[in-house]
Amino acid sequence: MDGQVTKASVLDAIQKGRTEWDALLAEVGEERMTLPGPDGWSVKDVIAHNTWNEREMVRLLGDHVLNPSDSDRLWEMTTDQRNEEIYKMYRDKPLDEALAEDRRVHEQLVQAMEHMEDADMTDPARFPGMPPDWEPWRIIAGCTFNHYPEHIEPIRAWLESFDKPQRVNEFLK
């Protein structure tokens, strides 16, 4: 983030990142969201993964305390282990439910952000249990607008693979 970190700047970054994410999902289309990608995860699986991260931020902002609950064990794992557990938790969820939950949790995140103050973004003391060297906005960013691009590029590459046979056929004509 450039400049002073405020509630408005973090919320704006979340909304911009989410706009790009939603545009990508529209490009993928629901008919391809359950197809496995190169890593075995479908776009639906990535949606559920992102939803889990946003839900954690809703909880952080709503409770105004770094106080993991059921997800304690997940946060104590390595990132890869946590991601695998999240995948297992949601892999059988129907697409329509995953999409509805994704929209609902994102709305909750935006509402929770609207109730924050500028100081909440930079002062870890405002979140009991948060280490003093952490910056709350960085935690939020890591689960939202800095997290989306980690998935956008691989999904874009996966999408391009659908167009390659068509391009080859056009070249051969």
Side-chain angles (χ1 to χ4, degrees), residues 7-172:
K7 172 183 84 168
S9 66
V10 173
L11 187 54
D12 184 57
I14 290 171
Q15 295 293 49
K16 285 179 180 174
R18 184 58 185 225
T19 297
E20 185 178 359
W21 176 248
D22 287 342
L24 176 64
L25 294 183
E27 189 177 338
V28 169
E30 289 188 23
E31 66 280 355
R32 293 190 285 201
M33 287 184 181
T34 57
L35 299 175
D39 64 356
W41 281 32
S42 67
V43 171
K44 180 199 70 123
D45 297 325
V46 177
I47 292 168
H49 165 84
N50 282 347
T51 302
W52 184 88
N53 279 277
E54 286 195 354
R55 185 180 306 105
E56 289 296 296
M57 294 305 93
V58 169
R59 195 168 51 81
L60 171 70
L61 298 173
D63 294 348
H64 221 83
V65 64
L66 184 64
N67 182 22
S69 58
D70 313 5
S71 55
D72 275 1
R73 67 178 186 79
L74 294 177
W75 284 113
E76 293 170 0
M77 297 176 175
T78 67
T79 300
D80 288 343
Q81 290 170 331
R82 181 174 53 249
N83 289 343
E84 183 62 25
E85 286 300 310
I86 294 167
Y87 167 77
K88 288 177 185 175
M89 288 169 39
Y90 296 102
R91 69 179 167 209
D92 295 328
K93 181 175 274 219
L95 176 62
D96 61 334
E97 289 179 25
L99 289 170
E101 183 176 12
D102 177 59
R103 286 186 294 273
R104 183 175 60 255
V105 169
H106 184 72
E107 288 172 16
Q108 291 170 351
L109 173 66
V110 170
Q111 289 171 357
M113 280 295 301
E114 289 172 350
H115 290 93
M116 296 294 102
E117 297 177 18
D118 287 344
D120 293 328
M121 299 297 104
T122 57
D123 184 1
R126 296 177 71 105
F127 294 86
M130 187 173 285
D133 58 334
W134 287 17
E135 292 179 281
W137 79 267
R138 291 185 188 277
I139 308 303
I140 297 164
C143 289
T144 60
F145 63 90
N146 281 347
H147 190 225
Y148 302 134
E150 293 176 26
H151 300 291
I152 288 173
E153 292 312 313
I155 291 172
R156 283 203 192 288
W158 175 76
L159 269 177
E160 288 176 12
S161 73
F162 285 96
D163 296 335
K164 286 181 183 173
Q166 183 179 359
R167 289 184 198 154
V168 169
N169 288 337
E170 289 172 4
F171 178 77
L172 293 174

